[in-house]
Amino acid sequence: MNSLGELFSLRGHVAIVTGASSGLGVECARALAIAGADVALAARRGDRLGPLAREFAESYGVRAIGVATDITADADLDRLVAAVEAQLGVADILVNNAGISPTGRAETLPRATWDSGIATNLTAPMMLAQRFARRLIETRQPGRVINMSSIYGLVASSIYRLSAYNASKAGLINLTRQLAIEWAPYGILVNAIAPGWIPTEATEGGMAKPQNRERMERATPLGRLGRPDELRGTIIYLASAASSYVTGTVLSVDGGYVSW
Ligand SMILES: NC(=O)c1ccc[n+]([C@@H]2O[C@H](COP(=O)([O-])OP(=O)(O)OC[C@H]3O[C@@H](n4cnc5c(N)ncnc54)[C@H](OP(=O)(O)O)[C@@H]3O)[C@@H](O)[C@H]2O)c1
């Protein structure tokens, strides 16, 4: 590795990014495209994916497609993996980014709310990762899985009532470690990212009260919320040769939030 390009280039790689219709998923996909990867954008709102795919293809000279996908439906995951393979080739980078943030008092949280949080944030990443890894194992190729956890996979929240969310994101972190161990012999590296508060559609509601935003800013050593584009470097690092000896770890991108 004697050049920046060799360390960080993703030319020749094929990435799937879930939740690529808004927020952090768009930035993850953009980062991979900037580094040269061909990208498949997956989310339920398929109408948003086509224009983004065209923008990435034109701006970064990569191949990009959108595949309307509900990640909680196994049949959709099968279709996604097959569509990517048919149009771009076997995917070797997976960013399990899609997620939802159900809230509600723990003592009255409806079963359905709990179930949907776990289904989307924990079960679906596992179901997609296993399909992704199977194809790599069958075709004897190495790969990368990047799971989008959260600071709330590492610590609890004193501001928001997020029992289902926090349980799912903590589960995703230890799932990351287990998959890293099981798939290390195949050269499939599995890591997680734990972002702090970054304004997106998902956090709009929580940020609506200025006092909540101020509390989060005060609780963050860097004194401010993050920007979606501040995830780009982490995504490229975890997808590229630069992190070839990194697996089973959680990288916090949180302005120092979990450090004190
Ligand atoms: N923003 C933050 O402060 C923050 C902090 C820590 C962690 N995170 C995590 O980062 C990830 C992205 O969050 P965000 O802030 O970018 O939120 P967002 O703007 O609401 O994006 C969530 C994405 O997930 C997709 N999604 C949700 N359910 C889905 C399903 N069943 N099937 C397919 N796609 C689904 C949505 O697409 P469709 O609705 O089109 O399906 C959307 O693209 C989440 O996992 C979140 O927990 C965010």
Side-chain angles (χ1 to χ4, degrees):
M1 294 293 155
N2 288 320
S3 73
L4 206 57
E6 282 178 297
L7 270 179
F8 293 108
S9 173
L10 297 176
R11 283 272 165 222
H13 293 272
V14 175
I16 297 174
V17 180
T18 67
S21 62
S22 67
L24 306 187
V26 174
E27 283 306 317
C28 292
R30 186 185 302 283
L32 296 168
I34 288 172
D38 295 326
V39 286
L41 315 175
R44 292 166 301 185
R45 288 170 292 178
D47 55 315
R48 290 190 175 198
L49 303 177
L52 276 170
R54 278 191 292 282
E55 184 206 323
F56 292 161
E58 280 162 21
S59 303
Y60 309 117
V62 300
R63 294 179 300 160
I65 60 171
V67 185
T69 308
D70 181 344
I71 58 163
T72 63
D74 285 355
D76 274 24
L77 298 181
D78 290 334
R79 262 193 331 105
L80 170 63
V81 170
V84 174
E85 190 164 332
Q87 295 178 61
L88 301 177
V90 176
D92 62 350
I93 299 167
L94 168 63
V95 182
N96 264 322
N97 162 79
I100 56 172
S101 326
T103 55
R105 302 183 72 88
E107 64 273 24
T108 52
L109 194 77
R111 170 72 186 239
T113 307
W114 173 269
D115 285 347
S116 70
I118 301 297
T120 305
N121 295 355
L122 182 56
T123 307
M126 169 63 183
M127 292 300 117
L128 181 52
Q130 65 170 207
R131 285 162 171 75
F132 168 85
R134 274 203 302 264
R135 286 301 290 142
L136 290 177
I137 293 166
E138 283 162 9
T139 56
R140 297 176 185 276
Q141 295 181 65
R144 304 295 176 95
V145 178
I146 303 170
N147 290 324
M148 194 64 75
S149 183
S150 164
I151 49 172
Y152 294 138
L154 296 165
V155 297
S157 174
S158 60
I159 306 178
Y160 301 102
R161 296 177 181 278
L162 285 167
S163 53
Y165 183 80
N166 292 6
S168 69
K169 293 298 185 180
L172 190 57
I173 285 176
N174 220 28
L175 176 65
T176 297
R177 297 188 185 109
Q178 187 64 32
L179 297 183
I181 291 167
E182 292 195 26
W183 294 343
Y186 305 108
I188 301 171
L189 311 188
V190 187
N191 291 290
I193 301 177
W197 273 84
I198 301 175
T200 62
E201 285 175 31
T203 57
E204 261 168 19
M207 300 286 181
K209 291 183 185 162
Q211 64 267 34
N212 286 350
R213 187 186 176 108
E214 283 158 21
R215 274 180 74 179
M216 287 305 296
E217 286 169 347
R218 274 201 308 276
T220 303
L222 287 184
R224 63 174 175 84
L225 306 183
R227 299 187 312 272
D229 65 17
E230 289 182 302
L231 277 180
R232 289 183 191 173
T234 305
I235 286 286
I236 294 172
Y237 169 66
L238 288 178
S240 66
S243 62
S244 57
Y245 200 52
V246 178
T247 196
T249 197
V250 186
L251 223 160
S252 293
V253 182
D254 65 354
Y257 187 91
V258 298
S259 295
W260 61 8

